[in-house]
Amino acid sequence: MEQVMYWNKELETMPRRERESLQLERFRKRMAYVYDRSPMYKKKYDQTGIKPSDIKTLSDISKVPFTVKEELLESQKRNPPWGEMICVPPEDGVRVFQTTGTTGTPLKVMLNKKDWTKHYYEQFMYFMNAYGIKRSDILYVPFGYGLYIAWWGFQAALEQAGVMIVPGGAQSSKDRVKNIFEWDATVICGTPTYLLHLGEVAKNMGISLADSQVAVVVAAGEPGANIASTKKAIEDTYGAKCYDDIGSSEITNFGFECAAQKGTHVNENMFYAECLDLDTLEPVKDGEVGELVLSNLCTETMPLIRYRIKDLVKFNRELCECGRSFLRLDGGILGRSDDMFQFGGVNVFPSAIENLLREVDNFSNEYQIIVPKKDSKKRIKIRVEPLSAQVSQKDMQDSVEKFIEDFKYRVTFTPTVEVVKAGGLPRFEGKAKRLIRET
C-alpha cells in the first residue's frame, strides 16, 4: 500500500476507548446544544423526558428518540421555510441546499458561515488526505451547480486547501471529456453512473480516458464505488484509483475510503454511528446488515441527533491497514432500506444485481430492474442493452444465459431478461433511477 496521508493522525489513529470518550463528550454537548436552540428538539426531548445529563455512557444514547426525515419535512411545512429544527437565526445562513426529493418533497438545508467554511473544510480534509489528493492536483468537476449539494462542499473545501478547480458545468458530455485532457485534470468526481457514462462518450469519440492524467476518481451520490464490479469498471475506464465518498444533504458527508480500499471509513470524530436491526431497532453485531443511524457531533446550523438515514451497512471495527481506527462500512453503502425489496422470500439489494450485471462483458453499464406488483405471479424483469451495436445477437444471447445462471446461483431465483437496442436505456448525470416498482 502507498504511503498513508493523514489530516490529523492523532485523531484518526486514536485508540477506540479514547475515541468513545471523545464521542460521548461531544454527543452530550451537541444534545444540550439542540435542546437549548431547536424548538423541535426541545419539544421532542421534553415529551420523552430525556435530558443531556441522562447520557452517561454511549449505551445510554439508545434512550434518545430518533430523528426521521418525515418530521423535518413536516416541521418545514408547518413553519416555512426552515422549520423548527434549525439552531441559528435564518439571517446567519450563508449557503442553502435541498435534498433531491427522489422519495418525496425536497428538504431545505441551511449552513451558517462556521459550518460552511470550517466544519465542511475539516470534514473534507479527512477525505482529501485519505484519497491522496495534494495541493498540486487539478480537480475537474463535471457538473453544473444548483440547489443540490452535489459537489459544492467537496469543491469548496479543496479550493480552500489550495487545489486548483476546473468547473465543468453548462457543458455537453463531449466537451467535458475534452476538458479532462485540455486541463490535465488529475482528479475527477461524479456519480458512478455518470463517470462510466463519460467513459462511454469518450469511447464513441475514439478517446480513452485511461490516457488522461486522471489518477484519482471520487465517486458519490449512489452505491457503486464499493460494488466490486462497478469499482473495477470505473478504475479500468480511467486507469486510476476510485474512492468512495458518502453523505447526504441533511447529515453532510460522513464517510470516505482510504488507500487500503477495504471498506468506507466513518469520520467518527465528527459523527456518532449506530447500526440497528430493521425490525427491532436494536444494535446488530459487527458484520451483520443493519440500518445506519447518525448523529452530528460538530455542526451548528442544523445538527441531527440519531438520524435514521435509511442506508444499509455492515460495521467493521477492526484496525484498518491504513492505520486508521475509524470504523469501516464493509462494502460501503449496501443500499437503502426503501430500495431493498423482497421477492420469493429473499431480501434483494439492487446493488447485488448491479454487481452481477457489470461482470457481463457484452452488457453496457445501463440497466433497469422492474419489480412486479406483489402476488402478480410475474418474475422480476431486468432490462439490459448491448455494449455496442456491433455485439452480435448470438453473443448477446450467450451473455444473457450466463447472467441468468449466475443470478439463479447467487440470488436464488430466476429473472426475466429483456434486451433493448444499444443506447436505448436512459442516461443520468446525477443519481440514477434504475429501480422501477410496478403498481
Side-chain angles (χ1 to χ4, degrees):
M1 190 178 70
E2 61 193 70
Q3 185 176 2
V4 177
M5 291 170 56
Y6 295 105
W7 161 238
N8 187 323
K9 186 175 182 179
E10 181 180 355
L11 285 176
E12 292 180 74
T13 61
M14 179 182 288
R16 178 144 296 277
R17 183 172 294 182
E18 292 180 26
R19 185 181 312 290
E20 289 176 350
S21 295
L22 175 66
Q23 288 184 305
L24 177 61
E25 178 189 354
R26 289 185 171 181
F27 184 94
R28 293 180 65 184
K29 285 183 178 178
R30 200 54 25 186
M31 187 177 169
Y33 176 85
V34 299
Y35 181 81
D36 290 340
R37 292 168 173 80
S38 164
M40 184 193 81
Y41 276 111
K42 186 177 191 313
K43 181 179 179 181
K44 180 193 286 281
Y45 296 156
D46 283 346
Q47 286 177 340
T48 56
I50 188 79
K51 296 181 176 60
S53 58
D54 296 329
I55 311 303
K56 295 179 170 57
T57 67
L58 287 180
S59 61
D60 289 336
I61 290 174
S62 63
K63 302 173 186 176
V64 179
F66 296 112
T67 305
V68 295
K69 191 172 185 178
E70 290 75 15
E71 70 181 305
L72 304 182
L73 289 167
E74 180 59 31
S75 179
Q76 291 190 347
K77 182 179 179 181
R78 290 194 311 267
N79 300 278
W82 301 112
E84 296 178 306
M85 76 286 286
I86 63 169
C87 297
V88 300
E91 57 267 26
D92 285 358
V94 298
R95 286 282 175 172
V96 298
F97 300 106
Q98 68 179 29
T99 59
T100 57
T102 52
T103 57
T105 306
L107 177 72
K108 295 179 176 63
V109 179
M110 182 176 72
L111 298 171
N112 68 2
K113 185 175 182 179
K114 187 173 182 181
D115 282 342
W116 181 241
T117 61
K118 180 181 185 297
H119 292 134
Y120 257 64
Y121 173 75
E122 183 178 346
Q123 284 172 225
F124 281 114
M125 288 306 95
Y126 286 102
F127 293 48
M128 174 177 165
N129 284 274
Y131 303 151
I133 299 174
K134 302 174 290 295
R135 286 190 61 195
S136 56
D137 277 306
I138 300 171
L139 171 65
Y140 183 70
V141 187
F143 286 92
Y145 289 132
L147 279 172
Y148 305 136
I149 194 165
W151 296 95
W152 268 112
F154 188 65
Q155 178 208 305
L158 265 63
E159 182 178 327
Q160 191 175 335
V163 176
M164 181 181 290
I165 309 297
V166 180
Q171 293 180 321
S172 69
S173 293
K174 285 185 178 180
D175 285 337
R176 287 169 177 165
V177 169
K178 292 176 184 176
N179 281 174
I180 291 170
F181 287 89
E182 290 171 353
W183 291 96
D184 286 333
T186 57
V187 182
I188 186 171
C189 58
T191 61
T193 294
Y194 191 60
L195 290 167
L196 288 170
H197 176 60
L198 284 178
E200 187 179 74
V201 171
K203 185 176 180 181
N204 291 334
M205 294 168 65
I207 299 171
S208 171
L209 288 172
D211 294 332
S212 72
Q213 297 298 312
V214 173
V216 174
V217 179
V218 182
E222 60 189 30
N226 250 315
I227 297 173
S229 58
T230 302
K231 180 187 284 289
K232 184 178 185 302
I234 294 171
E235 292 190 337
D236 289 348
T237 297
Y238 289 85
K241 283 288 187 182
C242 174
Y243 294 97
D244 196 22
D245 171 336
I246 53 177
S248 71
S249 300
E250 60 271 39
I251 199 74
T252 72
N253 291 63
F254 58 87
F256 58 89
E257 199 175 6
C258 68
Q261 296 189 305
K262 297 287 181 67
T264 305
H265 288 284
V266 173
N267 179 356
E268 292 189 277
N269 294 332
M270 303 182 78
F271 299 86
Y272 178 69
E274 304 169 72
C275 186
L276 306 182
D277 182 272
L278 289 172
D279 297 319
T280 66
L281 296 179
E282 293 294 327
V284 301
K285 295 178 181 177
D286 287 1
E288 294 181 356
V289 175
E291 180 184 334
L292 181 63
V293 175
L294 290 169
S295 299
N296 288 114
L297 299 179
C298 297
T299 55
E300 288 189 348
T301 315
M302 194 176 117
L304 299 178
I305 305 297
R306 298 202 82 202
Y307 185 60
R308 294 184 63 180
I309 198 168
K310 294 190 176 181
D311 286 336
L312 298 173
V313 297
K314 288 192 294 185
F315 277 9
N316 182 343
R317 288 187 173 88
E318 295 178 2
L319 186 67
C320 183
E321 289 178 17
C322 71
R324 291 179 176 86
S325 54
F326 287 157
L327 74 84
R328 284 169 288 155
L329 308 180
D330 284 342
I333 301 298
L334 303 174
R336 288 182 57 81
S337 57
D338 43 13
D339 279 346
M340 184 183 74
F341 59 91
Q342 190 174 78
F343 190 85
V346 178
N347 288 331
V348 183
F349 294 98
S351 57
I353 297 176
E354 177 177 326
N355 194 43
L356 289 172
L357 287 163
R358 294 261 163 83
E359 291 176 352
V360 182
D361 292 338
N362 290 317
F363 290 178
S364 81
N365 289 311
E366 286 305 328
Y367 63 90
Q368 289 180 334
I369 303 169
I370 297 88
V371 182
K373 187 178 179 180
K374 188 177 181 181
D375 300 325
S376 67
K377 297 184 179 179
K378 293 181 181 178
R379 293 181 180 180
I380 283 178
K381 181 188 290 184
I382 314 292
R383 285 198 185 110
V384 299
E385 64 179 32
L387 183 61
S388 71
Q390 283 67 51
V391 177
S392 70
Q393 187 173 352
K394 181 182 182 305
D395 286 345
M396 197 63 183
Q397 184 58 38
D398 289 345
S399 294
V400 168
E401 290 175 2
K402 180 184 182 301
F403 169 72
I404 291 174
E405 285 302 311
D406 289 344
F407 193 103
K408 284 164 59 179
Y409 177 72
R410 297 198 212 177
V411 188
T412 72
F413 59 83
T414 305
T416 297
V417 177
E418 177 186 342
V419 179
V420 303
K421 67 179 181 179
L425 292 174
R427 265 54 179 174
F428 306 91
E429 285 193 19
K431 291 184 180 181
K433 300 175 184 177
R434 300 191 180 101
L435 182 66
I436 303 169
R437 297 177 189 267
E438 291 185 341
T439 56

